[in-house]
Amino acid sequence: MATIKLEIVSPDKMVYAADIDMLIVRSIAGELGILPHHAPLVTSLVPHAMRVKLDGDEKLVAVGGGFMEVQPDKISVMASVAELPEDIDTDRAQRAFDRAKKRIESGKSGAEDINMVRAEAALKRAVARLTATGSHIE
Ligand code: ATP
């Protein structure tokens, strides 16, 4: 079966590189499934857990946003932050989630002057990390 090269880099390191069967990502235009020989494409990614499919298995990679460039034989993800599940501190992500939720609530009620865009982005990063580790989110 044909494969496609995937490289995920964050500002400080190569997070993941492998020949894969398929990548499923969430872009600003919606969900995209990238198979080998995909047409060239550049898009922005939103914070989420990317799904890497290889050898009948699925691996999740948390990404905080960034860009993806697709060529027929290679996918390059340049992420603002990216982590493999084994590198994610779940307690820290849960604390970030709770903090962002609280900020958003107090912003909505007018109790505090909150930067909602920042709080929403922090919440999405936390959800991406908790999803990548298979943690329950509430
Ligand atoms: P926090 O409020 O916990 O710092 P954050 O979403 O603001 O979370 P980022 O700015 O996205 O954090 O990331 C800063 C650095 O910390 C990056 O190198 C990122 O990989 C790392 N990082 C953030 N949260 C976690 C986590 N839960 N587990 C492991 N590394 C993390």
Side-chain angles (χ1 to χ4, degrees):
M1 195 172 140
T3 57
I4 185 165
K5 204 172 277 303
L6 169 65
E7 280 185 8
I8 302 171
V9 295
S10 70
D12 57 341
K13 64 177 177 193
M14 170 77 73
V15 177
Y16 184 81
D19 291 324
I20 66 159
D21 298 329
M22 186 183 188
L23 176 69
I24 300 166
V25 299
R26 208 177 304 152
S27 77
I28 49 168
E31 192 162 272
L32 290 172
I34 312 293
L35 289 161
H37 313 304
H38 195 283
L41 166 82
V42 174
T43 191
S44 298
L45 301 177
V46 298
H48 72 293
M50 295 189 292
R51 294 160 60 197
V52 180
K53 296 202 175 263
L54 79 163
D55 299 333
D57 229 23
E58 183 172 282
K59 190 171 179 70
L60 297 174
V61 184
V63 61
F67 294 96
M68 176 180 72
E69 183 194 15
V70 178
Q71 293 296 329
D73 61 347
K74 186 174 177 188
I75 306 167
S76 303
V77 173
M78 286 140 284
S80 52
V81 284
E83 296 116 28
L84 300 175
E86 54 268 36
D87 296 325
I88 293 174
D89 177 340
T90 309
D91 292 343
R92 176 175 167 181
Q94 186 65 52
R95 285 196 300 276
F97 177 89
D98 295 342
R99 208 163 47 238
K101 272 266 188 198
K102 232 165 129 181
R103 283 205 182 112
I104 290 164
E105 286 311 313
S106 65
K108 276 187 189 152
S109 69
E112 270 187 87
D113 190 14
I114 295 293
N115 182 334
M116 289 296 253
V117 173
R118 201 171 146 194
E120 296 276 8
L123 183 69
K124 286 179 187 155
R125 289 194 302 277
V127 169
R129 290 179 175 120
L130 293 171
T131 304
T133 54
S135 310
H136 180 64
I137 301 167
E138 52 180 54

